[in-house]
Amino acid sequence: FPTSTLVSMEFRRHLLIHRALELYFSSGKSLFLVFRDKHIRERVVTALWSLRPPRVERILRACSSTAVDPAIVSQWQCGMMSNFDYLLYLNRVAGRSYSDLSQYPIFPWVLTDFLSNTLDLMNPEVYRNLALPVGALDPGRLEALLSRYEQTDDENNCLYYSHYSTAGSVLYYLMRIEPFTTLYCELNGGRFDLADRMFTSVAATFHNCLTSSSDFKELIPEFFYMP
């Protein structure tokens, strides 16, 4: 990877530890590096920066207050950038990467009707309320979760007992495509999971995410561009 083609150096977490670095190149490829600790990462970044790569203007420290570029926001607001590309950008500056299943890009459920043969896209009822997290979309479930939270006397008590994005949920969605098939089996002790726990239907998965007391996952980018 010639440093002349390096366009971005971005800090990443690996297994939630600040010790990774992702390098992006003009070819569109990226290199995800994991170090023993963040101090070694700092030394590597300093060494790369000292080479004065001509295309790199700054080092992106994910989740910092200056991570989001106002120019990118303006492009999206003016319709020069699609919602898809803007969400990918936000995921990237938040430290998420296709190279790390535990920090995989997150895309929201947008529709709520996966059973009708046709959709009236002018009908607001077919869209999910993006002002709320998945766990709050169904009033009945939210009430039950709040009741459980208030009645549980535990220092580790929380409203939701699962996350909206995990390595397991990413593999759940992509289990029919290698190398995710192999990784999915490894996650389940060398075999597929029970049939009723595997991904078989978008409609059934959304219903479960809407009603289950332990399933709050969002989608992944592949749902918006893979056939």
Side-chain angles (χ1 to χ4, degrees):
F1 295 95
T3 55
S4 60
T5 66
L6 181 63
V7 295
S8 182
M9 293 190 285
E10 304 183 6
F11 282 51
R12 295 281 183 261
R13 291 181 297 175
H14 179 252
L15 299 179
L16 304 181
I17 301 174
H18 289 280
R19 61 177 181 179
L21 177 71
E22 190 157 18
L23 307 177
Y24 289 88
F25 299 88
S26 57
S27 63
K29 294 182 179 180
S30 68
L31 185 63
F32 192 93
L33 304 171
V34 180
F35 303 99
R36 189 168 61 245
D37 56 52
K38 64 180 181 181
H39 303 295
I40 298 177
R41 178 181 66 180
E42 291 284 355
R43 289 167 55 192
V44 171
V45 169
T46 300
L48 286 172
W49 190 250
S50 69
L51 297 175
R52 302 184 179 224
R55 297 188 173 198
V56 179
E57 296 181 357
R58 62 172 181 161
I59 301 167
L60 182 64
R61 298 176 182 270
C63 302
S64 70
S65 59
T66 59
V68 178
D69 186 346
I72 299 293
V73 178
S74 180
Q75 288 180 30
W76 171 65
Q77 292 172 332
C78 294
M80 298 170 63
M81 175 181 284
S82 69
N83 289 337
F84 178 85
D85 288 331
Y86 186 60
L87 285 174
L88 268 186
Y89 170 74
L90 291 180
N91 272 281
R92 181 170 160 180
V93 298
R96 294 191 165 272
S97 169
Y98 281 104
S99 300
D100 186 357
L101 289 175
S102 66
Q103 297 285 307
Y104 209 74
I106 303 168
F107 269 58
W109 291 97
V110 177
L111 299 175
T112 60
D113 184 355
F114 296 97
L115 297 175
S116 301
N117 290 326
T118 59
L119 286 178
D120 178 7
L121 297 180
M122 300 304 293
N123 179 9
E125 295 299 319
V126 304
Y127 296 101
R128 170 258 184 97
N129 182 355
L130 290 169
L132 299 174
V134 168
L137 290 177
D138 183 78
R141 177 176 66 172
L142 180 60
E143 184 178 349
L145 292 172
L146 288 169
S147 176
R148 181 184 67 181
Y149 176 80
E150 293 168 354
Q151 295 175 16
T152 302
D153 185 16
D154 185 347
E155 63 178 10
N156 296 319
N157 189 23
C158 59
L159 189 61
Y160 307 129
Y161 280 86
S162 69
H163 202 258
Y164 49 81
S165 175
T166 64
S169 63
V170 174
L171 293 175
Y172 167 84
Y173 286 133
L174 295 174
M175 54 163 285
R176 288 173 175 80
I177 306 172
E178 286 289 9
F180 304 102
T181 307
T182 299
L183 293 171
Y184 181 86
C185 290
E186 290 178 357
L187 187 69
N188 289 285
R191 64 184 68 185
F192 287 113
D193 200 356
L194 298 176
D196 59 357
R197 290 204 300 242
M198 293 171 64
F199 177 55
T200 56
S201 162
V202 176
T205 298
F206 178 71
H207 177 74
N208 200 56
C209 292
L210 199 64
T211 59
S212 170
S213 61
S214 59
D215 190 354
F216 311 98
K217 58 180 171 286
E218 296 279 6
L219 291 177
I220 55 177
E222 284 81 354
F223 274 88
F224 296 88
Y225 66 83
M226 289 188 76

